[in-house]
Amino acid sequence: MPELSISEAFKIFSWGIDYGQLLMEEERDNEDWADAFNCCLVARKTAMPANPIPRRQPHSEKWRNAKKKSFEAFQDLLAEIAIK
């Protein structure tokens, strides 16, 4: 296996961070469903409308595409290593 330079190792680390952030964002996208379910349960129990938890603004499509591109670069590196 070839040795990695510091810059290559940092690039791989950054790709991992990007992928983790993308997974967190996708998980946050599903929080609205959980909120809706909980609000429905509270409204049924108390006969009062429930308010969903305030959320932060979701990231833009540009941000998501950048994170996906970063993950694809990491996959390309893994494929390159597997070929060697």
Side-chain angles (χ1 to χ4, degrees):
M1 178 156 169
E3 290 191 28
L4 291 174
S5 68
I6 295 295
S7 63
E8 290 171 327
F10 183 73
K11 191 184 296 186
I12 292 169
F13 175 77
S14 297
W15 288 335
I17 297 295
D18 286 348
Y19 181 59
Q21 288 177 335
L22 180 62
L23 289 178
M24 288 187 308
E25 186 70 13
E26 289 173 351
E27 186 176 319
R28 286 184 192 128
D29 290 343
N30 295 325
E31 287 177 351
D32 289 335
W33 285 103
D35 241 9
F37 180 75
N38 286 333
C39 286
C40 179
L41 290 178
V42 169
R44 284 185 179 178
K45 263 188 175 178
T46 62
M48 294 172 29
N51 293 325
I53 299 170
R55 300 268 183 237
R56 53 132 190 98
Q57 288 287 34
H59 285 98
S60 67
E61 279 302 311
K62 182 179 177 183
W63 182 90
R64 290 172 189 258
N65 290 336
K67 299 301 177 186
K68 288 176 185 175
K69 186 177 178 183
S70 174
F71 182 60
E72 290 169 2
F74 180 66
Q75 288 177 320
D76 292 343
L77 174 71
L78 290 179
E80 182 182 319
I81 291 172
I83 292 172
K84 290 181 182 181

